[in-house]
Amino acid sequence: MSKKIRVTVWGENVHEHKHAIVRKHYPEGMHSSIAEGLNEAEDIEVTTATLQQAEHGLTEEVLANTDVLTWWGHCAHDDVDDAIVARIQARVWQGMGLLVLHSGHFSKIFKALMGTSCTLRWREAGELERIWVCNPGHPIAQGLNSYFELPEEEMYGEAFGIPAPDEQVFISWFQGGEVFRSGCTWKRGNGKIFYFRPGHETYPTYHIPEVKLVLKNAVRWARPEGSIWIDEAPHITADKAPEKIIPRGGSVH
Amino acid sequence: MSKKIRVTVWGENVHEHKHAIVRKHYPEGMHSSIAEGLNEAEDIEVTTATLQQAEHGLTEEVLANTDVLTWWGHCAHDDVDDAIVARIQARVWQGMGLLVLHSGHFSKIFKALMGTSCTLRWREAGELERIWVCNPGHPIAQGLNSYFELPEEEMYGEAFGIPAPDEQVFISWFQGGEVFRSGCTWKRGNGKIFYFRPGHETYPTYHIPEVKLVLKNAVRWARPEGSIWIDEAPHITADKAPEKIIPRGGSVH
Amino acid sequence: MSKKIRVTVWGENVHEHKHAIVRKHYPEGMHSSIAEGLNEAEDIEVTTATLQQAEHGLTEEVLANTDVLTWWGHCAHDDVDDAIVARIQARVWQGMGLLVLHSGHFSKIFKALMGTSCTLRWREAGELERIWVCNPGHPIAQGLNSYFELPEEEMYGEAFGIPAPDEQVFISWFQGGEVFRSGCTWKRGNGKIFYFRPGHETYPTYHIPEVKLVLKNAVRWARPEGSIWIDEAPHITADKAPEKIIPRGGSVH
Amino acid sequence: MSKKIRVTVWGENVHEHKHAIVRKHYPEGMHSSIAEGLNEAEDIEVTTATLQQAEHGLTEEVLANTDVLTWWGHCAHDDVDDAIVARIQARVWQGMGLLVLHSGHFSKIFKALMGTSCTLRWREAGELERIWVCNPGHPIAQGLNSYFELPEEEMYGEAFGIPAPDEQVFISWFQGGEVFRSGCTWKRGNGKIFYFRPGHETYPTYHIPEVKLVLKNAVRWARPEGSIWIDEAPHITADKAPEKIIPRGGSVH
């Protein structure tokens, strides 16, 4: 019996309570639908956490038992506590995978890991998005054809203010004429990070089979594969040096 | 008449006032000696700024007129104002070059740009450091032989908690038996970033000709070469789309 | 007086002699039109070379005096001599810039430098191509707006079989529904490489102002900036080691 | 029952037959010892192949059934058939892992995948090599301490003529004073590539536990994780375009 991948689906969970259009597509909240899609996989077990919970549902214990965290946020990025962001970032360095979804491009955790502005151009017009696979052999693209389509989505367009991705998995074509780097990977410390563009709150994107498939693939790709490295800055005293040395020179300590 | 590269040398300027050993090597402060070395070049003009000045000497105006910023800090990283760090980071995205020196690996600005822990192992024993050139043709290595030596330096050793560098320019060999990625480059937005390891406060490192040469080379390499891109997230209304589209679907706006 | 950048524009020069449609747009050959566009710049001086010349016009001397080489080929990739390809590759390692144009994606020199298949999907239907800028501050994108359009071009679509680019400068949107990584940079040795997608032989692409501008920008970006590094594998005998060592163990030499 | 990783250990197998010092350490050939080390792992099954076999033991069928190929060669790089090299390269693009060992840095297959000179400096003096881990959490470094030592090895020193690695796993410190990027990863197509420095023929390196451990780890890391992508350049006729287009403009076809 092989161990399941433990996923925590984090949801901002604000639009759902304010806007009927969002509730229509996601009556139990967007996080619940994302979790449901992942739960279709036998090798994945999912829990959810939301902004409104104590410590946003992301206690030390929850994160310590999370292999892959998914992040959807939009209108309440600033309400996420800086201390929780730092905690998540440290877990990513240790090896926890992170899937950043759609408007999560402007979340504190994504900007902190990228070190860049993460800006983009956008339009909300319910237009067709066609997502092309840049590498058909990539683990995250398994089971897809050359492309798949979302009949109604928000447009995100270049320039996208990110560091050069380690790998380009998807690029989007929009009906209105723009393009976007829709699937990008990076590594920070030992954590694998995947940004996936689709998922605007006013469309039923997370119910679309190809989107659910990409998220399942991405969870498998992002799961920790090495060991936990607790970052530290060890002081190696001169007598512990691998080669014999005689300390010399001054010190301020 | 070609335009000079405008460098701002930033110094924490604390050790110099507390420790005679530091004052001995740098009677006018470490920043003054770093500036002096750069001033040897006819194509570079240097000003200095320190932690103790208003806005740490890094006002909007100063940064707007800085092509390359150098950063040395150690014991007072936490005293640097977060708002100033954000201001520097935005200027790096616009294209300002940044040279991070020695213990600046733990500065707020370096950690913010890297998104990682930036940890390393260390030892203060005045040992020999031999710095090897990984790419003799690289602009930052011009004028150097295969390696150069610093007779007394602090040891920094791997593992160094950084994202994979765009280019590896130098690697250090230490007498005590360690190695370190001593010269690394990255790009964040349009800003070129160079981390250069040497420069412990208790040794006369910034007076050594090869160190001064590397800093001059690095300034030339890091100077802005494109244009300023003021990051933003433009809203493209449907009527401004390159292709004609009819908006559909709902909106929370 | 600053030194001009010496560019050699290489042309396969076969279609021009076989197909009236190509001659119509490029009566003196495609290489002549590409050269003409570059010659608009005061800081660039251009010569041309073609497949049909002795050593394809790329003698040791010609390459030694070339700062940046541009490469357009299509139907005669296999007729390029392997020894000349190796000679070009060695010059790239030394620092010569290389601009690979359109169907040059399948040239021997591009495949040799990438190490990958360089495959892509394609369609020749004279459709609209809209080229988006991924980083408005990048030197290669200077003077462009957010995008520019080519009214008639061949389609190249993902998946493009390349190693992850160092930087993504352009991505194309095609009227027929595809996307493509149209402007990519890499470094091999000290040579900067830029792949630029447009330039099908049956359309007047190289007469379009934005295309000419990109090529001028790319030449400036790709010019050598360090020194020539003649690659070698030096044998360091034990008595030449930086640290004193006593040789031990066996040898097959 | 989970499927074993199928490894083919390729050996040049020349020194063993010419030099008693090599036979002493590797009486059955270096490939046999490398295979033996890997066979200690229950999840790995190993076969061997050598230069002297028909098609160097690397038929289409053998490669199709190889998950990870390891490559050791030195004095007979030029005797490897170009057609076999192209066959291996195509399999790497499809996803086969490749471990390149020691003097394999100058093999045809490694140079073809890197696109660079792969030069380095070297000395055969049986000196101490200390290999440092740059990322303790990396899958290839599992089970190691901060460093491990090889009491007698050939020296390889920087500058190493490679493209910037995706990840730096190991860096070596040599007794004679040099450093080297001893463990580097790249991806070409879907194939994961790991270069591992140690393994000179006149020392018993492949019997050392840490070296055997690294090779086992690297096999697990390099195993194919996506699907096979048979590279091709599909022609999409206008009627197959995702969006309806009317072909226009000329053609040479």
Side-chain angles (χ1 to χ4, degrees):
Chain A
M1 196 195 73
S2 104
K3 234 179 97 193
K4 291 195 180 193
I5 308 170
R6 301 162 302 171
V7 176
T8 301
V9 170
W10 191 87
E12 186 181 84
N13 193 35
V14 171
H15 287 303
E16 296 90 326
H17 298 279
K18 287 190 177 167
H19 305 283
I21 176 79
V22 183
R23 253 195 320 276
K24 191 185 89 182
H25 299 307
Y26 305 107
E28 310 296 320
M30 298 181 73
H31 54 281
S32 299
S33 293
I34 293 169
E36 211 172 287
L38 290 171
N39 263 327
E40 293 173 0
E42 297 207 346
D43 54 339
I44 296 174
E45 67 183 22
V46 190
T47 55
T48 63
T50 58
L51 178 67
Q52 297 76 22
Q53 294 176 292
E55 305 184 39
H56 310 321
L58 300 173
T59 61
E60 291 280 5
E61 197 191 342
V62 165
L63 287 178
N65 290 290
T66 297
D67 293 319
V68 180
L69 177 69
T70 77
W71 193 272
W72 195 102
H74 180 219
C75 60
H77 291 318
D78 286 347
D79 297 343
V80 179
D81 193 278
D82 287 343
I84 306 295
V85 174
R87 183 189 288 171
I88 299 168
Q89 189 171 14
R91 269 293 289 147
V92 169
W93 298 340
Q94 287 177 8
M96 182 182 73
L98 178 68
L99 312 189
V100 177
L101 307 178
H102 189 63
S103 41
H105 76 92
F106 256 176
S107 63
K108 287 182 178 178
I109 182 61
F110 189 59
K111 292 196 290 185
L113 286 162
M114 296 294 103
T116 58
S117 67
C118 302
T119 49
L120 48 80
R121 74 181 56 225
W122 62 280
R123 175 178 56 239
E124 192 187 29
E127 66 202 272
L128 173 72
E129 174 177 17
R130 182 178 297 112
I131 299 183
W132 286 91
V133 174
C134 297
N135 176 352
H138 197 280
I140 298 178
Q142 294 315 293
L144 297 172
N145 292 326
S146 300
Y147 64 83
F148 65 97
E149 295 181 348
L150 306 176
E152 290 191 332
E153 253 295 350
E154 187 181 22
M155 180 281 289
Y156 279 7
E158 296 286 339
F160 188 16
I162 48 172
D166 294 350
E167 297 191 275
Q168 195 64 51
V169 184
F170 303 121
I171 294 177
S172 288
W173 179 103
F174 286 96
Q175 187 184 354
E178 284 87 355
V179 296
F180 194 72
R181 285 173 284 177
S182 279
C184 304
T185 74
W186 298 267
K187 205 172 170 186
R188 289 291 177 270
N190 280 296
K192 294 178 169 182
I193 301 163
F194 178 59
Y195 174 79
F196 188 46
R197 199 214 73 82
H200 192 54
E201 66 271 10
T202 60
Y203 313 116
T205 299
Y206 292 114
H207 299 297
I208 292 178
E210 289 92 339
V211 171
K212 293 195 285 184
L213 178 57
V214 167
L215 292 181
K216 281 178 275 193
N217 287 343
V219 158
R220 289 173 190 128
W221 169 83
R223 74 176 180 279
E225 56 171 348
S227 62
I228 290 180
W229 174 30
I230 304 296
D231 266 314
E232 49 177 7
H235 180 197
I236 312 300
T237 52
D239 58 306
K240 295 277 175 49
E243 301 287 320
K244 191 174 169 50
I245 50 171
I246 311 295
R248 62 177 189 266
S251 171
V252 300
H253 296 295
Chain B
M1 195 195 73
S2 106
K3 231 179 95 193
K4 292 196 179 194
I5 308 171
R6 300 162 303 171
V7 177
T8 301
V9 170
W10 191 87
E12 185 182 85
N13 193 34
V14 171
H15 287 303
E16 296 90 326
H17 298 278
K18 286 189 177 167
H19 305 284
I21 176 79
V22 183
R23 257 197 316 278
K24 190 185 89 180
H25 299 307
Y26 304 107
E28 311 294 320
M30 298 181 74
H31 54 283
S32 299
S33 293
I34 294 169
E36 210 173 288
L38 290 172
N39 264 327
E40 293 173 0
E42 298 208 345
D43 55 340
I44 296 174
E45 65 183 22
V46 191
T47 54
T48 63
T50 58
L51 178 67
Q52 297 76 21
Q53 293 176 291
E55 305 183 42
H56 310 322
L58 301 173
T59 61
E60 290 281 5
E61 198 192 340
V62 165
L63 287 178
N65 289 291
T66 297
D67 293 319
V68 180
L69 177 69
T70 77
W71 193 272
W72 196 102
H74 180 219
C75 59
H77 290 318
D78 286 347
D79 297 343
V80 178
D81 194 279
D82 287 343
I84 306 295
V85 173
R87 182 188 289 170
I88 299 168
Q89 189 171 14
R91 269 292 290 148
V92 169
W93 298 340
Q94 287 179 6
M96 182 183 73
L98 179 68
L99 311 189
V100 176
L101 306 178
H102 189 62
S103 41
H105 75 94
F106 256 176
S107 63
K108 287 182 178 179
I109 183 62
F110 188 59
K111 292 196 290 186
L113 286 161
M114 295 295 104
T116 57
S117 67
C118 303
T119 48
L120 48 81
R121 74 181 56 225
W122 61 282
R123 176 177 56 239
E124 192 188 28
E127 66 201 273
L128 172 73
E129 174 177 15
R130 180 179 297 112
I131 299 184
W132 285 91
V133 174
C134 296
N135 176 352
H138 197 280
I140 299 178
Q142 294 314 294
L144 297 172
N145 292 325
S146 301
Y147 63 83
F148 63 97
E149 295 182 348
L150 305 176
E152 289 192 332
E153 253 296 348
E154 187 180 24
M155 181 281 288
Y156 278 7
E158 295 285 339
F160 187 15
I162 48 172
D166 293 349
E167 297 190 275
Q168 195 64 51
V169 184
F170 302 121
I171 294 177
S172 288
W173 181 102
F174 287 96
Q175 187 183 355
E178 283 87 356
V179 295
F180 193 72
R181 284 173 284 177
S182 279
C184 304
T185 75
W186 299 267
K187 205 172 170 187
R188 289 291 178 270
N190 281 296
K192 293 178 169 183
I193 301 163
F194 178 58
Y195 175 79
F196 188 46
R197 200 215 71 82
H200 192 54
E201 66 271 11
T202 60
Y203 313 116
T205 298
Y206 291 113
H207 298 297
I208 292 178
E210 289 93 339
V211 171
K212 293 195 284 184
L213 177 58
V214 167
L215 292 181
K216 282 178 275 193
N217 287 343
V219 158
R220 289 172 189 130
W221 169 85
R223 74 175 181 277
E225 57 169 349
S227 62
I228 290 180
W229 174 32
I230 304 296
D231 266 313
E232 49 177 7
H235 180 198
I236 312 299
T237 53
D239 59 306
K240 297 275 175 48
E243 300 287 319
K244 191 174 168 52
I245 51 171
I246 312 294
R248 61 178 189 266
S251 169
V252 300
H253 297 295
Chain C
M1 195 195 76
S2 104
K3 234 180 95 190
K4 291 195 180 194
I5 308 171
R6 300 163 302 171
V7 176
T8 300
V9 170
W10 190 87
E12 186 182 86
N13 193 32
V14 171
H15 286 303
E16 295 90 326
H17 298 280
K18 286 189 177 167
H19 305 285
I21 176 78
V22 183
R23 257 197 316 277
K24 191 185 88 179
H25 298 307
Y26 305 106
E28 310 295 320
M30 298 180 74
H31 53 283
S32 299
S33 294
I34 294 168
E36 211 171 288
L38 290 173
N39 264 327
E40 293 173 0
E42 298 207 345
D43 54 340
I44 296 174
E45 65 183 23
V46 190
T47 55
T48 64
T50 59
L51 178 69
Q52 297 76 22
Q53 293 177 291
E55 304 183 43
H56 310 321
L58 300 174
T59 61
E60 290 280 4
E61 197 191 342
V62 165
L63 287 178
N65 290 291
T66 298
D67 292 319
V68 179
L69 177 69
T70 77
W71 193 272
W72 195 101
H74 180 219
C75 61
H77 291 317
D78 286 347
D79 297 343
V80 179
D81 194 279
D82 287 343
I84 306 295
V85 174
R87 182 188 288 171
I88 299 167
Q89 190 171 14
R91 270 293 288 148
V92 170
W93 298 340
Q94 287 177 7
M96 182 182 73
L98 179 68
L99 311 190
V100 176
L101 306 179
H102 189 63
S103 42
H105 76 93
F106 257 176
S107 63
K108 287 181 177 179
I109 182 61
F110 189 60
K111 291 196 291 184
L113 286 162
M114 296 295 104
T116 57
S117 66
C118 302
T119 49
L120 48 80
R121 75 182 55 224
W122 61 280
R123 176 177 58 239
E124 193 187 29
E127 67 202 272
L128 172 73
E129 174 177 16
R130 182 178 297 111
I131 300 183
W132 286 91
V133 174
C134 296
N135 176 353
H138 197 279
I140 297 179
Q142 294 315 293
L144 297 172
N145 292 325
S146 300
Y147 63 83
F148 64 97
E149 295 183 347
L150 306 175
E152 290 192 331
E153 252 296 349
E154 187 179 24
M155 181 282 289
Y156 279 8
E158 296 286 339
F160 189 15
I162 48 173
D166 293 349
E167 297 190 276
Q168 195 66 50
V169 184
F170 302 122
I171 294 177
S172 288
W173 180 102
F174 287 96
Q175 186 184 357
E178 284 87 357
V179 296
F180 193 71
R181 285 172 284 178
S182 279
C184 305
T185 74
W186 299 266
K187 205 172 171 186
R188 290 291 178 267
N190 280 297
K192 293 178 168 181
I193 301 164
F194 178 60
Y195 174 78
F196 187 46
R197 199 215 74 82
H200 192 55
E201 65 270 12
T202 60
Y203 313 115
T205 299
Y206 292 113
H207 299 296
I208 291 178
E210 289 92 339
V211 170
K212 292 195 286 184
L213 178 57
V214 167
L215 293 180
K216 281 178 275 194
N217 287 343
V219 158
R220 289 172 189 130
W221 170 85
R223 73 176 183 278
E225 56 169 351
S227 62
I228 290 181
W229 174 30
I230 304 296
D231 266 313
E232 49 177 8
H235 180 196
I236 312 299
T237 52
D239 59 305
K240 297 274 174 51
E243 300 288 319
K244 190 174 169 54
I245 51 171
I246 312 294
R248 60 178 189 266
S251 169
V252 300
H253 297 294
Chain D
M1 194 195 77
S2 105
K3 235 181 93 192
K4 291 195 179 193
I5 308 171
R6 300 162 302 171
V7 177
T8 300
V9 170
W10 191 87
E12 186 182 84
N13 192 33
V14 172
H15 286 304
E16 296 89 326
H17 298 280
K18 285 190 176 166
H19 305 284
I21 176 78
V22 182
R23 256 197 316 277
K24 191 185 89 180
H25 298 307
Y26 304 107
E28 311 294 322
M30 297 181 75
H31 53 283
S32 299
S33 293
I34 294 169
E36 210 172 289
L38 290 172
N39 264 327
E40 293 173 0
E42 297 207 346
D43 55 339
I44 296 174
E45 66 182 23
V46 190
T47 55
T48 64
T50 59
L51 177 68
Q52 297 76 21
Q53 293 176 292
E55 305 183 42
H56 310 321
L58 300 173
T59 61
E60 291 280 6
E61 198 192 341
V62 165
L63 288 178
N65 290 290
T66 297
D67 293 319
V68 180
L69 177 69
T70 77
W71 193 272
W72 196 102
H74 180 219
C75 59
H77 290 318
D78 286 347
D79 297 342
V80 178
D81 193 278
D82 286 342
I84 305 296
V85 174
R87 182 188 289 170
I88 299 168
Q89 190 171 14
R91 269 294 287 147
V92 170
W93 298 340
Q94 287 177 8
M96 182 182 73
L98 178 68
L99 311 189
V100 176
L101 307 178
H102 188 63
S103 41
H105 75 94
F106 256 176
S107 63
K108 286 182 178 179
I109 183 61
F110 188 60
K111 291 196 291 185
L113 286 162
M114 296 294 104
T116 57
S117 66
C118 303
T119 48
L120 48 80
R121 73 182 56 224
W122 61 281
R123 174 176 60 239
E124 193 188 28
E127 66 202 273
L128 172 72
E129 174 177 16
R130 180 179 298 113
I131 300 183
W132 285 90
V133 174
C134 296
N135 175 353
H138 197 280
I140 298 179
Q142 294 314 294
L144 296 172
N145 293 324
S146 300
Y147 63 83
F148 64 96
E149 296 182 347
L150 306 175
E152 289 192 332
E153 253 295 347
E154 186 179 23
M155 180 282 288
Y156 278 7
E158 295 286 337
F160 188 15
I162 48 172
D166 293 348
E167 298 190 275
Q168 195 64 51
V169 184
F170 302 121
I171 294 177
S172 287
W173 180 102
F174 286 96
Q175 187 184 355
E178 283 87 356
V179 295
F180 193 71
R181 284 173 284 177
S182 279
C184 304
T185 75
W186 298 267
K187 205 172 171 186
R188 289 290 178 269
N190 281 295
K192 293 178 168 181
I193 301 164
F194 178 60
Y195 174 79
F196 188 46
R197 199 214 73 82
H200 192 55
E201 66 270 12
T202 60
Y203 313 115
T205 299
Y206 292 113
H207 298 297
I208 292 178
E210 288 93 339
V211 170
K212 293 195 285 184
L213 177 57
V214 167
L215 293 180
K216 282 179 276 194
N217 287 343
V219 158
R220 288 174 190 129
W221 169 84
R223 74 176 182 277
E225 55 169 351
S227 63
I228 289 180
W229 175 30
I230 304 296
D231 267 314
E232 49 177 7
H235 180 197
I236 311 299
T237 51
D239 58 307
K240 297 276 175 50
E243 300 289 318
K244 191 174 169 54
I245 51 172
I246 313 294
R248 60 177 189 264
S251 170
V252 301
H253 296 295

